[in-house]
């Protein structure tokens, strides 16, 4: 019997992509199979697609180049409400997505798509097993990915327009860039509150492994590739301490500052003299900052 009234669940039709196929599914009581349609936009006009299959087994649509750039939907006649139509799916891309590179931390992977109808970014994903049904998105949605150390033993893939690439992994640990790295503790860091008249102090762990001076640098953006050396004072000394005193209005206002030693960089800190300083957390007497800013060298 047909359930009517407020407790009846509305029938639905949904479609998903499985590589070079679309698969339709439905909930409810239907009287016939699916009908596939295509259109140049999500608003139509819609034209039936003849894939040579009729009846209830018509739940799969093999994609071809004629559908590249098109939108596709599926509908199915319901005994009570008539045709139930899925949301439009598209735009359709036809082709492959491939990722290249060494599956090792610190290495860069690159993604490429071959075919027609592709648009938008790549989505990088990771999972603990190759056959996982639960892939998690990595916060990097362009055509390249530098593998972070947190993905050791995981697998990586990329998708574009719902086309899934090959899978690389498991990820192995790459060589440590500097032999004096001590776990997750930064070997060059900045201590001090970023307030007017205060002093940043550069600190390096395992100082006996360093031979060069500290060098203070600035850039307009924390992720900049090019940093400029601050030259209006001493660069520091080999005794693993160097100071940067935050002065009044200065050329470094609203800039980022970091300190380097033997090519090892601290994170960068933006100091805004017009803003307020965050309070110390419980138990803190000082803080090592992840970035640094507006200052003068003493």
């Amino acid at each position: 019997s047909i359930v009517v009234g407020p407790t009846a669940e509305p029938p639905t039709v949904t479609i998903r992509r499985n590589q070079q196929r679309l698969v339709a599914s439905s909930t409810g009581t239907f009287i016939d199979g699916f009908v596939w349609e295509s259109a140049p936009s999500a608003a139509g006009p819609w034209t039936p697609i003849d894939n040579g299959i009729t009846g209830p087994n018509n739940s799969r649509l093999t994609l071809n180049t004629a559908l590249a750039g098109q939108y596709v939907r599926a509908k199915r006649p319901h005994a009570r409400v008539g045709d139930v139509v899925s949301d439009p799916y598209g735009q359709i891309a036809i082709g492959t997505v491939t990722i290249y590179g060494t599956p090792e931390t610190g290495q860069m992977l690159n993604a490429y798509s071959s075919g027609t109808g592709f648009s938008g970014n790549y989505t990088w994903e990771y999972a603990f097993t190759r056959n996982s049904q639960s892939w998690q998105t990595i916060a990097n949605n362009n055509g390249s990915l530098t593998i972070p150390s947190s993905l050791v033993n995981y697998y990586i893939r990329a998708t574009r327009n719902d086309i899934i690439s090959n899978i690389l992994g498991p990820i192995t640990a790459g060589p440590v860039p500097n032999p004096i790295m001590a776990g997750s503790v930064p070997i060059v860091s900045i201590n001090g509150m970023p307030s007017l008249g205060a002093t940043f102090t550069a600190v390096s762990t395992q100082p006996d492994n360093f031979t060069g001076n500290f060098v203070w640098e600035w850039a307009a953006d924390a992720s900049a590739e090019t940093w400029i050396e601050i030259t209006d004072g001493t660069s520091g000394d080999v005794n693993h301490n160097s100071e940067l005193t935050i002065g009044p209005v200065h050329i470094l206002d609203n800039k980022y500052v970091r300190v380097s030693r033997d090519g090892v960089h601290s994170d960068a800190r933006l100091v805004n003299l017009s803003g307020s300083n965050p309070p110390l957390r419980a138990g803190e007497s000082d803080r090592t900052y992840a970035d640094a800013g507006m200052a003068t060298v003493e």
Side-chain angles (χ1 to χ4, degrees):
S1 62
I2 298 174
V3 179
V4 296
T7 60
E9 293 291 334
T12 63
V13 172
T14 58
I15 56 178
R16 63 179 177 85
R17 182 156 185 164
N18 183 7
Q19 293 297 70
Q20 304 305 325
R21 285 183 175 181
L22 292 182
V23 180
S25 58
S26 60
T27 60
T29 303
F30 291 88
I31 60 176
D32 204 346
F34 297 93
V35 175
W36 294 93
E37 298 177 321
S38 66
S41 75
W46 295 94
T47 302
I49 302 172
D50 182 7
N51 64 349
I53 304 174
T54 59
N57 294 324
N58 191 16
S59 61
R60 291 175 172 81
L61 175 68
T62 299
L63 301 173
N64 54 52
T65 55
L67 293 173
Q70 296 285 301
Y71 289 80
V72 170
R73 71 181 187 182
K75 64 182 182 180
R76 194 174 189 188
H78 189 269
R80 176 168 50 90
V81 299
D83 284 344
V84 179
V85 183
S86 72
D87 291 333
Y89 178 91
Q91 295 171 294
I92 301 293
I94 306 296
T96 59
V97 174
T98 308
I99 58 175
Y100 301 89
T102 303
E104 182 179 274
T105 59
Q107 295 294 316
M108 178 176 287
L109 303 181
N110 292 292
Y112 300 91
S113 54
S114 176
T116 58
F118 284 97
S119 61
N121 291 326
Y122 296 87
T123 298
W124 294 90
E125 299 174 326
Y126 71 94
F128 192 68
T129 63
R130 180 180 293 272
N131 298 320
S132 174
Q133 299 300 308
S134 180
W135 288 79
Q136 304 297 312
T137 299
I138 304 171
N140 187 327
N141 294 330
N142 56 33
S144 62
L145 172 73
T146 300
I147 305 175
S149 59
S150 58
L151 293 184
V152 169
N153 295 326
Y154 285 88
Y155 292 83
I156 290 180
R157 71 183 188 184
T159 68
R160 192 181 188 196
N161 291 91
D162 289 338
I163 296 179
I164 301 171
S165 74
N166 56 310
I167 298 172
L168 295 181
I171 303 302
T172 59
V176 178
N178 191 305
I180 59 175
M181 283 293 288
S184 61
V185 179
I187 58 174
V188 174
S189 58
I190 300 173
N191 292 334
M193 294 293 292
S195 57
L196 182 61
T199 299
F200 281 136
T201 302
V203 177
S204 56
T205 60
Q206 304 186 18
D208 291 343
N209 290 290
F210 287 94
T211 59
N213 293 333
F214 286 105
V215 177
W216 293 92
E217 302 168 310
W218 71 271
D221 188 282
S223 60
E225 295 184 1
T226 301
W227 289 73
I228 301 172
E229 183 177 349
I230 301 172
T231 58
D232 57 346
T234 177
S235 294
D237 57 51
V238 295
N239 296 318
H240 67 280
N241 60 62
S242 182
E243 296 181 345
L244 189 69
T245 299
I246 303 171
V249 177
H250 185 268
I251 191 174
L252 299 180
D253 191 11
N254 293 317
K255 301 297 191 301
Y256 287 84
V257 170
R258 72 181 185 186
V259 67
S260 303
R261 193 174 190 193
D262 289 352
V264 180
H265 311 298
S266 72
D267 289 328
R269 176 68 180 170
L270 173 67
V271 177
N272 186 343
L273 294 186
S274 63
S276 58
N277 297 316
L280 292 174
R281 295 184 290 268
E284 282 188 321
S285 59
D286 201 352
R287 180 174 294 149
T288 299
Y289 280 91
D291 36 39
M294 188 169 100
T296 57
V297 175
E298 299 296 320

